[in-house]
Amino acid sequence: MKLPLTMAVLLLLVVAAGFTPVTQKQSCSCKAPDESCQASVTCSKHGCTAICGSKDGCYSACGKDRILTHFSLKLVKKDSNEIAAALSKQTGKQIEFVPWEQNGRFTIDIKGDDLWSAMDYLHERGVLTVNGVNWEKFQQIRGAALKGGKLSVNFNNMSVSDALAHLSFITGNAYRVVSGDGEKILILPSQEVTLSELLSRISGQTGVQIE
């Protein structure tokens, strides 16, 4: 029996309304070259990354879930709660700071990409965490990356621009695409590579020029 055209269209709309597309998730994991730590994450969109360095420095995140590092913020003689609240607002992450000196007052002056200096300053004066992760772990990864140490890195289904944003945060260097398409998708697991080798592999796979 043939359905009238109007009824057929309505039936298709009902079926379409009840259909929920399944989003494929991406997973990333890594293990430090000295096996001191490992990290993993599963993301529903924008890809993921896991970066592991020696001496217990492991990091993982979803593609767009990155700390904002380029901003200006000046705080003069503020207590730890005021410092943590202002940094959380600017970075988009939950920053907690418990100073060694309970009633201490602190001054930070962030201009452009000076976040690392301010965070190191606070870390020297108390316990500093970013989304529950001790700042020392980020220092360990950065130290390994900048001193030519080996890293185990996994980028899965992430844009080059997002990958460089994560590397910029980890290293404190402002990496950017100067030629090519920064939205090209990167799938790059790399075991025990230096930072320069990693950047070269990203350029080789996607055809972008990085500086």
Side-chain angles (χ1 to χ4, degrees):
M1 184 177 86
K2 292 185 178 180
L3 292 173
L5 180 59
T6 303
M7 185 177 295
V9 171
L10 288 173
L11 181 60
L12 286 173
L13 289 174
V14 169
V15 172
F19 175 73
T20 302
V22 177
T23 302
Q24 186 175 4
K25 294 183 178 182
Q26 292 89 37
S27 296
C28 291
S29 62
C30 65
K31 180 181 289 186
D34 64 355
E35 299 187 352
S36 58
C37 64
Q38 56 188 4
S40 64
V41 66
T42 299
C43 306
S44 59
K45 57 182 179 180
H46 304 306
C48 59
T49 183
I51 304 173
C52 290
S54 296
K55 298 182 180 179
D56 198 30
C58 290
Y59 165 89
S60 61
C62 296
K64 299 293 184 184
D65 183 23
R66 59 182 189 262
I67 189 169
L68 302 179
T69 59
H70 192 86
F71 57 86
S72 294
L73 176 67
K74 186 172 184 178
L75 301 172
V76 180
K77 294 183 178 180
K78 302 295 184 181
D79 65 30
S80 59
N81 291 330
E82 290 172 311
I83 292 283
L87 285 173
S88 295
K89 182 179 179 180
Q90 290 289 341
T91 62
K93 300 297 180 183
Q94 183 61 45
I95 308 293
E96 294 185 1
F97 175 49
V98 181
W100 306 129
E101 185 181 347
Q102 187 174 4
N103 297 316
R105 294 279 170 168
F106 307 91
T107 296
I108 60 175
D109 188 5
I110 301 172
K111 296 177 181 177
D113 292 312
D114 292 339
L115 175 65
W116 266 89
S117 296
M119 299 293 271
D120 287 345
Y121 163 84
L122 295 173
H123 175 70
E124 291 171 359
R125 290 160 176 79
V127 178
L128 178 69
T129 61
V130 180
N131 281 4
V133 179
N134 194 292
W135 185 249
E136 187 174 4
K137 286 188 176 290
F138 298 106
Q139 290 178 318
Q140 296 289 5
I141 306 174
R142 186 188 195 194
L146 296 183
K147 293 176 182 177
K150 297 293 186 179
L151 303 170
S152 293
V153 182
N154 191 349
F155 292 116
N156 185 10
N157 208 40
M158 177 183 287
S159 73
V160 175
S161 294
D162 285 341
L164 293 181
H166 285 283
L167 290 176
S168 294
F169 163 61
I170 288 296
T171 63
N173 296 331
Y175 295 115
R176 63 191 182 96
V177 173
V178 294
S179 175
D181 184 2
E183 294 307 307
K184 277 194 173 181
I185 297 301
L186 185 64
I187 300 176
L188 185 64
S190 297
Q191 300 297 319
E192 299 194 22
V193 294
T194 64
L195 177 60
S196 60
E197 289 171 340
L198 177 61
L199 292 171
S200 178
R201 291 187 184 187
I202 293 173
S203 293
Q205 183 180 118
T206 62
V208 303
Q209 182 180 347
I210 301 167
E211 70 172 27

